[in-house]
Amino acid sequence: MIFVLPDLPYAKDALSPYISAKTFDFHHGKHHQLYIDNTNKLIAGTDLYGKTLREIVMATAGDPSKVGIFNNAAQVWNHSFYWRCMKAGGGGAPTGAVAEAINQTFGSYENFAKAFKEAGMTQFGSGWAWLVEKNGKLEIMKTPNADTPMAHGAKALLTADVWEHAYYIDYQNRRADYLQEFLDKLVNWEFVNQQLKK
């Protein structure tokens, strides 16, 4: 199995001005593509060739001898997931099952949004902020670099990429503004609800 760059689930300019087509040119077209190219090279001729991305991530997580494979394969998975977490006209308070679960866990959407944004702001350096389900309960996680919830027994529901290449063209060093716009204008709650049902 050779991994290929997935199409964005919307036009490159569909999320403008919150995320520009120029950001997607670099983030999707170059960064995501490079992680795919590296993964394909690193698994060629190994027992990981032919496995799914999830199987590769789980097989290499925590293995120092396979950290290069994990970093690239996990970044392929993280980015493919992140694109689907957004849509034009998204954001704001959720509806459906995830809204009920958020209210039960955090007390309100506002409390969730504050905690999610804080996770993204306090992830030092590069990484991700996540809403996950673990042991039947919702949690907010942050992971450094390529780390991903599945490696910690959690199911990803929503993520915001807080590597600088995710926001620097549009927001420069204003990570807080990027995270606020992500929550207010971009989150695809239908996708989040689909993940919760899985």
Side-chain angles (χ1 to χ4, degrees):
M1 179 186 294
I2 297 295
F3 296 107
V4 297
L5 184 68
D7 291 334
L8 291 168
Y10 31 72
K12 278 193 304 185
D13 61 354
L15 306 188
S16 183
Y18 312 112
I19 297 181
S20 65
K22 186 174 182 182
T23 288
F24 280 118
D25 283 338
F26 283 94
H27 195 183
H28 176 257
K30 298 189 185 301
H31 287 278
H32 196 178
Q33 182 67 66
L34 182 61
Y35 296 130
I36 287 171
D37 293 344
N38 287 342
T39 299
N40 287 329
K41 288 176 192 170
L42 289 165
I43 65 171
T46 75
D47 59 356
L48 296 171
Y49 185 83
K51 294 190 181 297
T52 67
L53 204 54
R54 180 177 289 272
E55 288 170 338
I56 293 168
V57 169
M58 294 305 291
T60 57
D63 184 343
S65 71
K66 294 190 170 97
V67 68
I69 298 174
F70 174 81
N71 283 342
N72 283 280
Q75 282 291 77
V76 173
W77 192 93
N78 288 351
H79 280 86
S80 297
F81 188 85
Y82 168 64
W83 308 137
R84 292 178 289 158
C85 287
M86 300 181 288
K87 70 170 189 173
T95 58
V98 75
E100 295 174 24
I102 282 174
N103 285 335
Q104 286 175 358
T105 303
F106 303 101
S108 68
Y109 168 74
E110 290 73 22
N111 289 343
F112 154 76
K114 181 179 178 181
F116 186 87
K117 186 175 174 182
E118 183 178 1
M121 287 301 298
T122 57
Q123 173 51 49
F124 183 76
S126 298
W128 303 82
W130 304 86
L131 175 66
V132 304
E133 184 182 43
K134 187 172 184 179
N135 301 322
K137 296 180 180 179
L138 297 192
E139 293 181 16
I140 288 173
M141 288 180 70
K142 56 185 177 179
T143 60
N145 302 315
D147 200 7
T148 192
M150 73 177 89
H152 303 278
K155 178 171 71 174
L157 303 177
L158 173 70
T159 195
D161 186 343
V162 294
W163 285 62
E164 285 189 344
H165 60 238
Y167 61 88
Y168 218 82
I169 289 172
D170 301 317
Y171 297 90
Q172 287 76 54
N173 63 328
R174 294 178 289 112
R175 185 189 287 191
D177 291 352
Y178 155 69
L179 287 165
Q180 193 66 56
E181 297 287 34
F182 176 85
L183 289 166
D184 290 347
K185 309 292 188 190
L186 296 175
V187 174
N188 182 350
W189 288 113
E190 289 88 348
F191 174 74
V192 180
N193 269 306
Q194 289 167 11
Q195 303 316 299
L196 188 62
K197 289 177 185 174
K198 285 185 177 178

